[in-house]
Amino acid sequence: MAKIIVVTSGKGGVGKTTSSAAIATGLALQGHKTVVVDFDVGLRNLDLIMGCERRVVYDFVNVINKEATLNQALIKDKRTDGLFILPASQTRDKDALTMEGVQTVLDDLSKDFEFIICDSPAGIEQGAQMALYFADEAIVVTNPEVSSVRDSDRILGILQSKSMRAEQGKNVKEHLLLTRYNPDRVATAEMLSVADVEEILAVPLVGVIPESEAVLKASNQGAPVILDQESNAGQAYTDAVRRLLGETVEYRFIEAQKKGFFKRLLGGK
Amino acid sequence: MGIFDYLLKKGKPNTAAVAKERLQIIVAHERRKRTEPDYLPMMQQEILEVIRKYVQIADDQVSVQLEDSDDCSVLELNITLPE
């Protein structure tokens, strides 16, 4: 039986797809056979972030409609062993994903994989609810910013009331992943701190990803940022994956950088 | 932050603290709404009508809240009567 983990946020643009790609890659790198599923029907983007956009032939909706088999639609990642991608469809039909269809596909994937990562669309409507419904665990991606934190709280409410586990009286295990974190701005009291967001949302932390130029560079090239182990963001994602697997890992990149005397005097970055 | 910034930003407000306070209030409010039973708004409306048979009050002068504690729920009814 695979563990199903949804990557969700409510708000758009906070880093769901970047995080899904990085975490799925990280799990595969640690030796766990993983598939990452794009639930964003109509606005497929995971394929671009994973760098497999030209290899998409069949998609999630084709499999649900039995126009293709699961094995025909699954794309084997070229960089990382044991990693597969199930792309979303570009159809404009929002109701293309049916509950029964999604359940059948996830059940089939469950037989072959250890982890199923569901990359949720933004919003709190049908697509997002479908992505989280079958989840055992949830990674709530949040930016240290008011609208993102509020929307994360809404999506937590939906996880606790409208997921399958909630309907069965069980819990979905929640993890907070703080992204685009800027320790320098936290130090000058311009940005909510890790502790602030943890206190407001009351969800255990799994990772803090610093704001990093490496993220754009990675998406430009279609290589998940976790593969860039020279970057802070890549290392922070590796730490988050290890915590997800139950390890205790100390937090890095959450303190402001100490600057030299002259830099401080002149205000250089 | 350089010496020039330092000279320019005397008494700059702590905006992160403002954000935290606003979030704590709105999130607590929205959580309460999420967990309250759906008959509550209707009940509030009917209570308002009953009171209006005797005293004229505005909509916002009645507040109904359900507080859940460990082993019981408390329905709190707050009516502000005009002077």
Side-chain angles (χ1 to χ4, degrees):
Chain A
M1 269 305 276
K3 193 173 269 181
I4 303 177
I5 304 178
V6 63
V7 178
T8 187
S9 70
K11 189 175 183 300
V14 297
K16 280 183 298 300
T17 302
T18 300
S19 298
S20 298
I23 289 166
T25 305
L27 287 167
L29 285 172
Q30 303 265 340
H32 301 281
K33 198 176 177 195
T34 300
V35 58
V36 54
V37 183
D38 191 349
F39 273 79
D40 203 346
V41 170
L43 292 169
R44 168 165 87 205
N45 274 321
L46 180 68
D47 54 342
L48 267 180
I49 302 300
M50 296 293 298
C52 64
E53 68 278 8
R54 296 181 61 185
R55 295 164 63 209
V56 175
V57 183
Y58 296 109
D59 58 52
F60 197 0
V61 173
N62 292 138
V63 178
I64 286 177
N65 294 340
K66 301 202 163 60
E67 294 149 4
T69 65
L70 194 51
N71 280 329
Q72 285 176 309
L74 282 174
I75 301 172
K76 187 178 186 311
D77 192 82
K78 282 195 169 165
R79 295 188 190 86
T80 312
D81 272 344
L83 178 60
F84 289 78
I85 299 116
L86 182 58
S89 159
Q90 290 282 50
T91 174
R92 271 188 281 173
D93 178 10
K94 276 190 164 183
D95 302 321
L97 295 183
T98 59
M99 199 68 105
E100 298 75 29
V102 172
Q103 178 153 35
T104 308
V105 172
L106 292 180
D107 282 349
D108 285 349
L109 289 171
S110 251
K111 292 170 196 153
D112 276 338
F113 290 93
E114 280 180 74
F115 286 97
I116 303 173
I117 305 296
C118 303
D119 181 19
S120 171
I124 52 170
E125 283 160 37
Q126 198 235 13
Q129 294 202 16
M130 200 72 85
L132 67 77
Y133 185 76
F134 297 99
D136 300 307
E137 300 190 14
I139 296 173
V140 179
V141 184
T142 308
N143 291 167
E145 179 271 327
V146 286
S147 46
S148 174
V149 175
R150 181 201 213 171
D151 289 0
S152 291
D153 192 66
R154 296 247 6 226
I155 212 80
L156 286 166
I158 292 171
L159 277 163
Q160 289 155 8
S161 62
K162 293 193 174 151
S163 62
M164 188 171 78
R165 290 183 74 87
E167 286 172 2
Q168 296 167 342
K170 293 190 276 190
N171 278 334
V172 177
K173 191 173 179 192
E174 298 157 349
H175 308 273
L176 173 63
L177 181 68
L178 206 54
T179 57
R180 305 196 74 163
Y181 195 69
N182 187 332
D184 291 331
R185 301 196 75 185
V186 173
T188 54
E190 291 171 68
M191 183 180 268
L192 292 165
S193 69
V194 178
D196 290 340
V197 180
E198 271 188 290
E199 189 187 330
I200 296 163
L201 293 178
V203 172
L205 193 64
V206 77
V208 180
I209 313 299
E211 170 111 72
S212 165
E213 290 170 6
V215 172
L216 180 59
K217 278 189 209 159
S219 77
N220 285 342
Q221 302 175 85
V225 69
I226 198 167
L227 295 174
D228 180 359
Q229 278 298 309
E230 281 175 17
S231 70
N232 290 353
Q235 294 174 42
Y237 272 118
T238 301
D239 291 355
V241 168
R242 289 174 58 199
R243 288 187 201 103
L244 201 58
L245 291 169
E247 284 181 56
T248 309
V249 185
E250 210 172 311
Y251 281 88
R252 301 186 270 180
F253 322 119
I254 58 173
E255 300 294 338
Q257 287 288 311
K258 289 256 186 330
K259 289 177 189 162
F261 175 73
F262 283 106
K263 271 199 171 172
R264 270 147 84 91
L265 194 68
L266 299 171
K269 272 199 172 175
Chain B
M1 177 185 345
I3 190 164
F4 307 113
D5 295 324
Y6 181 77
L7 292 173
L8 285 174
K9 78 158 218 179
K10 260 186 273 168
K12 192 175 173 186
N14 178 343
T15 57
V18 177
K20 185 182 180 185
E21 198 191 329
R22 291 174 59 215
L23 273 169
Q24 280 175 322
I25 293 166
I26 191 69
V27 163
H29 176 74
E30 286 172 352
R31 278 186 194 154
R32 212 180 303 124
K33 275 194 126 170
R34 219 155 50 209
T35 50
E36 75 179 22
D38 33 5
Y39 61 76
L40 226 52
M42 183 91 89
M43 193 173 74
Q44 176 162 359
Q45 201 53 43
E46 283 189 39
I47 290 170
L48 200 62
E49 276 161 30
V50 171
I51 296 168
R52 277 197 186 139
K53 284 186 183 168
Y54 306 96
V55 196
Q56 267 312 308
I57 56 169
D59 282 8
D60 58 358
Q61 284 172 305
V62 170
S63 90
V64 180
Q65 261 173 32
L66 197 65
E67 302 271 344
D68 267 318
S69 54
D70 291 336
D71 52 354
C72 66
S73 304
V74 177
L75 185 71
E76 191 184 299
L77 189 61
N78 230 313
I79 306 163
T80 317
L81 293 175
E83 292 283 311

